[in-house]
Amino acid sequence: MYNSKIVGAGHYVPEKIVTNKDLEKLMDTSDEWIRERSGIEERRYIEFGKDTTANMGTKSAKIALERAGLTADDVDFIVFATLSPDYYFPGPGVIVQHELGCKRTIGALDVRNQCSGFVYALSVADQFIKTGMYKTILVIGSEVQSNGLDLTTRGRAVSVLFGDGAGAVVMQRTEDNNKGILSTHMHSQGEFAEALCVKSPGNFKETKFYEDMHIDYDYSTCLMDGQLVFKNAIVRFSEVIMEALQANGYTADDLDMFVPHQANLRITQFVQRKLQLPDEKVYSNIQRFGNTTAATIPIILSELWEKKGIKEDDIFVLAAFGSGFTWASALIKW
Ligand code: ACO
């Protein structure tokens, strides 16, 4: 058995910055309400016709490959996590295979675990590398949320939280079993599926897709029981981080960096207090990008890569919670 390690990280966010003040012009909200409840100051929205979920994934993957000193032809497999694909089907993984110009017809797998999607995708890649099946895997998280948000007062409880963006990592085999992804941990609790979901298009009711689309507001927009999500998130984040630490004989004191899914700054701060981590060991960029769902964690990894914020032997925990409910963690030794 091998271990897998991250050998490159890249990200791409659209140029268009949408501040809380910009949202005040569209709906009955305020900069103060959004900052206080979520920590968000601004987010990015795509320019329609320029960026899509798939092509932002490709752009971030190209950067990650370049930083790894690899090319598209080195990639054996693609794992793509998103809740906002370009098409209902096929998923965006195949589009990346094409846009990267891969000469080989490598496999492309799509993961649908929303906010936990990147950690789930990383775990899938880790297993393929561990068994020796693939040597080099691209793992991508990318989202275009803006196209699905109701930017009127009716949709404000959800729409102020989300933004667009993408991140990617390249994973490769290492023969050092004490390095790389040390373990991954995944959970779900489907009884809460409807606490955070978009129902259409779906087969949960008899109506034809083409009859349902664009007419039934409650089915086509994101439904979220915000307080239920919050209460579950703070418990599950802490649990799944402790699970990862204990599985490897570590404690929170051993952590060099906590990379949380960027759901809400208040959730991150709650978990930080629980683990008694100093500010410099917790990464937050929700202030600048909002919640970019599957893209939040790889965007952070790429920002740290750029800032040379990752050192040999650093211990990182990645953790996420979201729709499903699903939650997951990964412990990494660089
Ligand atoms: N601007 C102004 N007022 C608003 C807005 C807004 N954008 N949205 C809702 N309000 C109003 C509500 O209508 C309500 O008004 P009322 O008291 O007159 O009825 C009031 O603000 C309070 O609403 P609550 O929903 O109770 O506000 P809460 O303090 O729970 O904060 C929030 C809402 C931020 C969504 C919070 O519940 C939360 O953080 N939940 C976690 C959900 C989350 O992080 N989701 C992200 C996606 S999931 C994930 O990534 C894990």
Side-chain angles (χ1 to χ4, degrees), residues 169-302:
V169 300
V170 186
M171 290 172 68
Q172 277 197 321
R173 150 195 307 187
T174 167
E175 285 174 31
D176 182 346
N177 283 343
N178 296 313
K179 286 268 177 97
I181 312 298
L182 300 182
S183 64
T184 55
H185 307 270
M186 289 170 285
H187 298 276
S188 70
Q189 205 174 6
E191 72 200 74
F192 295 116
E194 295 194 0
L196 183 52
C197 68
V198 175
K199 290 187 174 178
S200 282
N203 293 307
F204 68 100
K205 63 176 188 156
E206 209 180 350
T207 327
K208 302 278 185 227
F209 283 4
Y210 59 84
E211 289 169 355
D212 211 23
M213 299 288 280
H214 313 300
I215 49 171
D216 199 332
Y217 181 85
D218 286 341
Y219 290 137
S220 322
T221 51
C222 176
L223 305 176
M224 180 177 80
D225 183 338
Q227 290 182 4
L228 186 72
V229 172
F230 194 98
K231 281 181 199 147
N232 278 270
I234 54 177
V235 173
R236 298 309 192 185
F237 260 109
S238 308
E239 269 179 18
V240 82
I241 291 167
M242 292 314 296
E243 185 181 354
L245 290 169
Q246 280 160 12
N248 294 281
Y250 289 114
T251 69
D253 286 344
D254 297 310
L255 282 176
D256 293 294
M257 190 61 77
F258 166 35
V259 179
H261 162 59
Q262 303 291 292
N264 186 314
L265 191 61
R266 290 192 302 152
I267 294 175
T268 298
Q269 287 167 341
F270 189 96
V271 179
Q272 176 182 355
R273 280 196 298 276
K274 196 147 185 209
L275 298 177
Q276 297 183 315
L277 292 173
D279 288 349
E280 63 275 14
K281 290 190 176 182
V282 182
Y283 199 99
S284 290
N285 61 11
I286 193 167
Q287 299 88 339
R288 290 177 283 128
F289 301 131
N291 180 345
T292 57
T293 309
T296 67
I297 289 178
I299 291 175
I300 292 177
L301 294 177
S302 169

Side-chain angles (χ1 to χ4, degrees), residues 56-90:
M56 292 199 299
T58 304
K59 287 172 185 172
S60 55
K62 283 181 177 169
I63 298 167
L65 282 168
E66 199 189 316
R67 288 180 181 164
L70 298 170
T71 71
D73 291 324
D74 295 311
V75 178
D76 298 318
F77 195 62
I78 296 166
V79 190
F80 199 122
T82 189
L83 63 67
S84 52
D86 296 18
Y87 310 129
Y88 180 67
F89 71 82

Side-chain angles (χ1 to χ4, degrees), residues 27-30 33-34 37-38 115 153 155-162 196 224-231 233 237 261-264 266-267 291 293 321-323:
M27 62 181 83
D28 180 13
T29 190
S30 68
W33 192 99
I34 300 170
R37 308 283 169 130
S38 70
C115 300
T153 299
R156 66 183 181 175
V158 169
S159 60
V160 299
L161 301 175
F162 293 95
L196 183 52
M224 180 177 80
D225 183 338
Q227 290 182 4
L228 186 72
V229 172
F230 194 98
K231 281 181 199 147
F237 260 109
H261 162 59
Q262 303 291 292
N264 186 314
R266 290 192 302 152
I267 294 175
N291 180 345
T293 309
F321 176 90
S323 160

Side-chain angles (χ1 to χ4, degrees), residues 2-45:
Y2 304 98
N3 262 20
S4 73
K5 63 175 182 181
I6 295 173
V7 295
H11 75 283
Y12 171 86
V13 291
E15 276 167 32
K16 185 177 170 188
I17 296 173
V18 178
T19 64
N20 294 344
K21 290 273 175 211
D22 293 328
L23 294 182
E24 284 178 6
K25 293 174 204 146
L26 303 172
M27 62 181 83
D28 180 13
T29 190
S30 68
D31 178 47
E32 193 193 359
W33 192 99
I34 300 170
R35 279 175 198 254
E36 252 177 35
R37 308 283 169 130
S38 70
I40 298 166
E41 295 166 22
E42 58 187 43
R43 72 287 288 140
R44 305 293 178 103
Y45 286 176

